[in-house]
Amino acid sequence: NAGVTQTPKFQVLKTGQSMTLQCAQDMNHNSMYWYRQDPGMGLRLIYYSASEGTTDKGEVPNGYNVSRLNKREFSLRLESAAPSQTSVYFCASSELPTGELFFGEGSRLTVL
Amino acid sequence: RKEVEQDPGPFNVPEGATVAFNCTYSNSASQSFFWYRQDCRKEPKLLMSVYSSGNEDGRFTAQLNRASQYISLLIRDSKLSDSATYLCVVKGPRTGGFKTIFGAGTRLFVKA
């Protein structure tokens, strides 16, 4: 029972490098989200996709891009990583926009 | 002012104690409310939704006060396994794309 799967779980980047975080859900959910979590800040929404084919900016979208590849997959790309993007990234999905969020296990990213 | 505010704690309580957390939110048009639990270095998981009439799940009771814009979580007969961070989550109205805001969390330590 996979739920929401994120890869990679850990990554170390140098400033300026690019990378893509992958997320897939097998619950046939319509909505998918990317959050980052920093100490004392709570989870902050980077981008979300209310349904396949749509994406919208969240609270902290600068420095990120997303792709809703299909209903199952929602990727997050860092084009030119910065130390300020060191964080734990969580992908989540929900059946309805008003419903419960199901989270992946998180991806720990360090930018040197 | 943060959109969702919680006392960060930590709350240190003995086993068997009753402990209560409060959370305030700023958007009076918010649609739905949740408490999530997050264990150290793990993903958040839904503890319970919060309904206007208040709701109970075993030792946990959640209440919503729309007039004062706060929600609460009461844990009775605390167990060691209740030690975690409790996140207050508020979803906004349809006009805002059901924007989901997380509080920074309240840390609970239950000791023997």
Side-chain angles (χ1 to χ4, degrees), chain A residues 10 33 35 37 40-43 48 90 94 96-101 103-105 108, chain B residues 2 31-32 34 36 38 41-44 46 87 91 96-98 100-104:
Chain A
F10 299 94
Y33 312 80
Y35 287 89
Q37 186 174 34
M41 298 290 291
L43 283 93
Y48 68 100
F90 287 101
S94 65
L96 298 172
T98 53
E100 174 188 356
L101 293 172
F103 285 86
E105 293 183 338
R108 286 171 171 74
Chain B
K2 291 183 180 178
Q31 289 268 350
S32 46
F34 307 87
Y36 278 70
Q38 186 173 24
R41 300 181 70 80
K42 297 287 189 181
E43 74 273 23
L46 180 69
L87 307 174
K91 286 210 175 195
F98 299 110
T100 303
I101 305 295
F102 283 76

Side-chain angles (χ1 to χ4, degrees), chain B residues 39-89:
Chain B
D39 294 298
C40 189
R41 300 181 70 80
K42 297 287 189 181
E43 74 273 23
K45 293 185 179 178
L46 180 69
L47 178 66
M48 57 196 305
S49 301
V50 187
Y51 303 117
S52 298
S53 55
N55 49 299
E56 191 173 303
D57 183 1
R59 298 181 293 108
F60 299 86
T61 301
Q63 296 211 315
L64 167 64
N65 185 321
R66 283 191 180 272
S68 301
Q69 295 179 210
Y70 79 81
I71 68 175
S72 63
L73 177 68
L74 183 77
I75 304 175
R76 290 182 300 278
D77 189 23
S78 299
K79 311 291 185 192
L80 294 175
S81 57
D82 293 335
S83 297
T85 297
Y86 291 83
L87 307 174
C88 171
V89 181

Side-chain angles (χ1 to χ4, degrees), chain A residues 9-23:
Chain A
K9 288 190 169 40
F10 299 94
Q11 183 73 49
V12 179
L13 292 177
K14 294 180 180 178
T15 296
Q17 287 185 316
S18 61
M19 76 160 298
T20 300
L21 297 175
Q22 306 285 356
C23 176

